[in-house]
Amino acid sequence: MNKPKMTTEKGVPSNSRVLMLLGQLERLNREAMLADAEIGRQITAKILHLIQTQEKTRKEIMSKGSSGMEVILATLENTQDLQTILNILYILNELLTVGGGRRVGVFVSKGGTGILLQLVLSGSKDSPPSEELMLQLHSLLAKVGPKDRKFGVKARLNGALNVTVNLLKQNLQNHKLLLPCLQVLRVYSSNSVNAVSLGKNGVLELMFKIIGPYNKKNTSLLKVSLDTLGALLKSKTNARRAVDRAHVPVLLYIYQDWHRNDTRHRHMLIRKGVLGCLKNITNIKLGRKAFIDADGMRILYNTSTECLPVRTLDPLINTSSLIMRKCFPKNRLPLPTIKSVFHHQLPHVPAGGPVAQLYNQPLGVDDVVDESDDNDDVETENDTENEEEDKDHHAMNDDIETDINKLRPKETHSRPFEELKIYERFFLELSEDFQRFNFDNPKSGVTATAAAPKSQRLIIVPTAQALPPKYPTAAPLQEERHLAKGEQPHPEASPLAPAPTPAPVHTLDTINITKDHDGCCDHSQVRPQPEQEQELVQGMERVALEGTGPQGGAGGGVNRHYRQPPLLAGGVAARQGGGAEETLAEEWAEEEGGEGAVLEVPDTALLLPLHDPDLYVEMVKSTRSVPQYSEVAYPDYFGHVAPTFREHILERVYGVQSPLPPYRTKIFQDIERLIHPNDILDKVVYDLDIQSCPVIDDGESLKFNSQFESGNLRKAIQVRKFEYDLVLNSDINSNHYHQWFYFEVSGMRVGAPYRFNIINCEKSNSQFNYGMQVLMYSVQEAISGRPRWVRTGTDICYYKNHFSRSSIAAGGQKGKSYYTMTFSMTFNHKDDVCYFAYHYPYTYSTLKMHLQKLEALRTPQIYMRQDVLCETLGGNSCPLLTITAMPESTSNDQICQFRNRPLVFLSARVHPGETNASWVMKGTLEFLMGSSPLAHSLREAYIFKIVPMLNPDGVVNGNHRCSLSGEDLNRQWQSPSPELHPTIYHTKSLLQYLAAIQRAPLVFCDYHGHSRKKNVFMYGCSLKETVWQTNISATSCELHEDLGYRTLPKILSQTAPAFSMASCSFVVERSKEATARVVVWREIGVQRSYTMESTLCGCDQGKYKGLQIGTRELEEMGAQFCVALLRLKRLTSPLELRNHAHLLDVESDLIETRCKVTSSSPSTYVLEDEEHSFMEEVDYSAESGDEPDIDPDTADPHDNRLSDSESNNHRDSLT
């Protein structure tokens, strides 16, 4: 070692006594006078005395610029005198005990670790070794080791590792020396190679000799021993060794004993240490089996239950629940196959990808579970609960596009213009001369889609049972009764064909329902006999359409079980209908003394000007579904009126969703299934896989149904009296994407605490953990005049469960699990019919109804045309809308201005489960068709081309993400297939045509929903911002880019309360290169190409902070998008709007206020200024705990903002 020269820090007096002594020690080193041991002893003894008595002495030695540490280490390395060595070790212990990690860091950087390890090795050669020397050396190493990253390697290579082990074996009864040796061994064990080596040397067995049952003596020694054992057991080899030597029952016994005797909870760390050892052992399959065999589940369950009342014992409860969840035997989903229960044959199968694998899967393969899955040990370091968040936050740079050529727009068009000319017919407005248009009667010349002729198909209300033979009815009514049971008198008829024999159409206003003596219902228009009058019918079903029964799930030509939806006791006025019908209904009610049951339909015409139940039913009749649905869900029929009250983001309940402890109440209830299996009913009450009878009704259970448009529920299993496991259906031609649900429940008891568990969710995290609630629609409430979806449910949480995902279902990955979304519910009405949904449903038939109603709102000043862009795989039409303002006259100037308006291209609902996108689109369409001056100027400023629903088939059939092709359509924009992806192919073709005629849109925006983030925000495309996030080297000329792409989101952040600029991202990622946003930006050359994401949960900023988002806020967002487009027009073309100064005040009002739905005007919005209360921000991990180590159930949380939001903030000023 180099001989250091003593220096002093500026400001330290040169006559300081300790510095003088260090100077003397330095001269001894330099002059090799350490052979004179007595002088060295005296100097080091004096330094030790000064350090022990004067605090300033320590500071002088360790101060920045002082070489005191180097002198001390040089002396320690060179001297051979034991007392001098001990004096220096005492000095170092004093110096490193205080001062934190900085002093230890200085010691390590000066090579102190190597010197101590060398002294351990040389001291071990003495016979016997000096106990005091070993004690001091190991005490120092225990302080230094954790700060030296290479400590374990140095000790192994040096040989000090074996010295410590031998010392441990020889001093098991010498607790004074044993404690520092164990502390050093704990640090050694953090190195995996060392841990295996120590296990082979019998250290594992030594630890079990030290730890034992409850004992008040030497608790600190026991704590360190357990920590050391826990570190050793992180090695799978050592864990197997512990299982082979039957140490698992020993650990459980020790834990029980300490739990039983530590009544005052003073030794919680010891109990936690035992659990830590069990947690590491159970990371391997053998350990989990040994834990189950030793009755570990029952032991930990009972001890944890006893700990629940004591809040300070949360760490024990958390660790126990993690162990129990990990050891819970993996079960298969209760399904015959994970493929969708419905099947649609494709015109051809793609050459590769998941759909091809699905079609090429051999017959008889069990795709629900893999036998090999259980052979994989649990990898706690890698299998985190937040794997998707890890991708979003930690590995984002890996996904950013680094090929600068892919970040530049394509200069050549991929398709010849002759091929694109066929799309000219969708752009009549670009060549329209209006010469044949009569401006005196403007509506006569506007091109629009004619309303479909009204179908004469019979509407019936299905009943619970067939009519009894003792009450014969006419032939038409017998047929009606059969249809109510699901029978098909004409199986060969198309589901859209009219009824074979004419029958009077029964509207819901005139149907009179009474119950006979046997509890059966009669749908006769003939007035009932007095002896048939009984109590009010308590159960009612949904509206049903005459036709063939559902195929695939329910099968054709078989009896089905139907139920009746509820009616309130008489006196509620029916919806206004024809005068004769209304009189007839009132007449019947009077004759029955007020006891008759007339099916009430709430009068929502004033509240919902764009909703018409009768028109909705007509739209349903032309909607084609794979299961051939013949039923209509009540919420879609009655409509939804947004509630006037605020729905706050649900506060996380301690013990359910809070990070400490996580969801433990739900976990313990699940564990009880294993401990008390006799309490589990395991009764299937609804199963679409049973084609003959999906509803199993024994009168004791809830009744479920999902066989209506957009419905999704595959199976319901009653596990306890008031608890049900629910299984969702996969997307058609897929074996995953379980998230969207929409189903009906009836037969409930008032006040009973029901729990529903959706057990096959796939995403690793959900906003259900952070305040989002499910949506419920009560038919009783609707009939009472409150037809609305409301946020509901308590004890909501989302967590990994014990149902195993096969490698087929997990994309080739083994050992994955499904997740459970659970919520509790208490019903308020007897015999109600309630619907539950993931988000506010918006069906394809609803869209068709809204478009027809919007067309009726068209004024002479509005140019609106509805075309059919194409037909989908399922035979549904994809509407294309054109909206702009009519020219004021046929003058050349007016026609030229009309044709040359810039285009705005909007699309939505490419993902069926993102229903919020349709509600935003509804707000946009209503605003565009409105009569306000702002709407009129917007139409004069732009031509809007809108595809309001890109994936009708997915929406109709209850898919979450895919179309009938089994593929995510928003990943097909690069090379869409006209056969498999017709809506994407033709929408892209429209854009390619516009680019070919030099009329590319000014703005392209695709509306989406986001399941894991709050607020509304945008994704855009920027060459510069993508390059800034990578290490790409590019010249300034290569990065030339107009910052106009930021203008629109910046405007929205100022106008829309729900919009968050901080959450926006303009980075192009490799995984998104085939999305609409990126393809339109790169191939069509649209600089302002966006995806607008709306939260499914709520907002954590702005006026809506702390509130769950509703349809009112979503529709407002669609309207505010229009306002932002007008301001964008004013900013980009200020001269064109110079004559519209009167609009500035209107726009200012919209910017400064929040919109509110009214019931009196189709324009939907009025002004409101109220601020919402603030709410504390929550973290975004699905499961978190207090454990410092990385674990799948205690991974560090991430917040809900985008990873690049901070980098975006400082660039907002650019716009």
Side-chain angles (χ1 to χ4, degrees), residues 960-972:
H960 172 66
R961 197 167 184 87
C962 300
S963 69
L964 292 186
S965 69
E967 297 168 295
D968 181 348
L969 290 183
N970 202 35
R971 296 297 186 274
Q972 311 301 325

Side-chain angles (χ1 to χ4, degrees), residues 118-160:
Q118 188 59 42
L119 283 174
V120 168
L121 189 62
S122 59
S124 66
K125 296 177 181 177
D126 297 339
S127 186
S130 169
E131 180 178 323
E132 183 64 18
L133 176 64
M134 290 301 174
L135 177 64
Q136 294 302 320
L137 283 172
H138 283 82
S139 297
L140 271 173
L141 287 171
K143 293 185 178 76
V144 171
K147 296 293 182 181
D148 190 341
R149 293 183 179 179
K150 297 184 178 180
F151 181 73
V153 178
K154 291 177 182 177
R156 185 173 67 251
L157 297 178
N158 175 275

